[in-house]
Amino acid sequence: MRIATWNVNSITARLPRLLAWLESSGTDVLCLQEAKIAEEQFPFDQLRELGYEAAVHATGRWNGVAVLSRVGIEDVVKGLPGDPGFDGVTEPRAISATCGPVRVWSVYVPNGREVGHPHYAYKLQWFEALKAAVYGDAQGSRPFAVLGDYNVAPTDDDVFDPAAFEGSTHVTPAERTALAALREAGLGDVVPRPLKYDHPFTYWDYRQLCFPKNRGMRIDLVYGNQPFAQAVKDAYVDREERKGKGASDHAPVVVDLDV
């Protein structure tokens, strides 16, 4: 079984690439983030033609998450129970579903904007709500994973230059402590292998030739429970999909399971 996560940075802008990638990659379940589309405009028909059902939690031009599956979708939960919201708005940042023998969450963790910004506090609160929401499944016997754009690099090795991020979000002790708390709930980091270079970066800014220079970050993560981790045969970053015109600034992370 092949499971992947991908921040597509607008499904409308990326739809031809998404459909082509699904056809060529053999992916059974894909967790999407930053759909940036209203649910009623989601391309259900095009995906159905390729054999995929879709569970979607999206409201418009910002955020938006989805799970695509060709092995069935059941027990869908839209939104994060206990979501703290931001400025009185609960944003579409999480969706969960059971797909065949595996249960997954697709998550788009808040960015945080700047250290000390209200959005940064919201990010940390959101992590606490995520831990509470996934704890039961993380402790269970069924393969379970939380996949998505976490907007946190777990270690200094997960950024091209730690000095370049000093004082910025994505690398602060508080954010990394939030990730550690998630692992303590019973989830482990499934670290993919890079297809090029030494570090499995998943995100490269569009600016300053970051992708050609490999000035990247590993912020798209797969956190699985023990049954999930034990089933992993391979995991890699599909760096090729970050190349070329019209690419997302994130690459898919692909995990092969023996389930």
Side-chain angles (χ1 to χ4, degrees), residues 154-215:
T155 72
D156 282 352
D157 282 341
D158 296 308
V159 296
F160 71 90
D161 180 6
F165 295 90
E166 188 171 350
S168 301
T169 59
H170 292 56
V171 299
T172 64
E175 291 165 293
R176 288 175 172 173
T177 296
L179 272 183
L182 200 58
R183 294 193 294 269
E184 290 167 3
L187 299 174
D189 188 355
V190 178
V191 180
R193 58 186 174 87
L195 296 185
K196 187 177 181 180
Y197 302 116
D198 296 330
H199 298 285
F201 297 145
T202 65
Y203 164 82
W204 301 260
D205 198 301
Y206 286 129
R207 300 168 295 181
Q208 300 177 333
L209 298 175
C210 282
F211 182 65
K213 294 179 179 179
N214 200 37
R215 296 164 61 90

Side-chain angles (χ1 to χ4, degrees), residues 35-41 56-65 89-93:
K36 294 182 177 178
I37 194 172
E39 185 170 339
E40 59 270 20
Q41 297 172 322
V56 182
H57 185 36
T59 55
R61 59 181 299 197
W62 306 118
N63 310 314
V65 287
V89 177
T90 301
E91 300 173 325
R93 292 183 173 274

Side-chain angles (χ1 to χ4, degrees), residues 15 37 47 64 68 74 89 110 115 152 170 177 182 186 200 211 218 221 224 254 258:
L15 184 59
I37 194 172
L47 292 164
L68 314 183
E74 298 178 343
V89 177
V115 178
V152 181
H170 292 56
T177 296
L182 200 58
F211 182 65
R218 185 172 77 93
L221 309 175
V254 181
D258 185 7

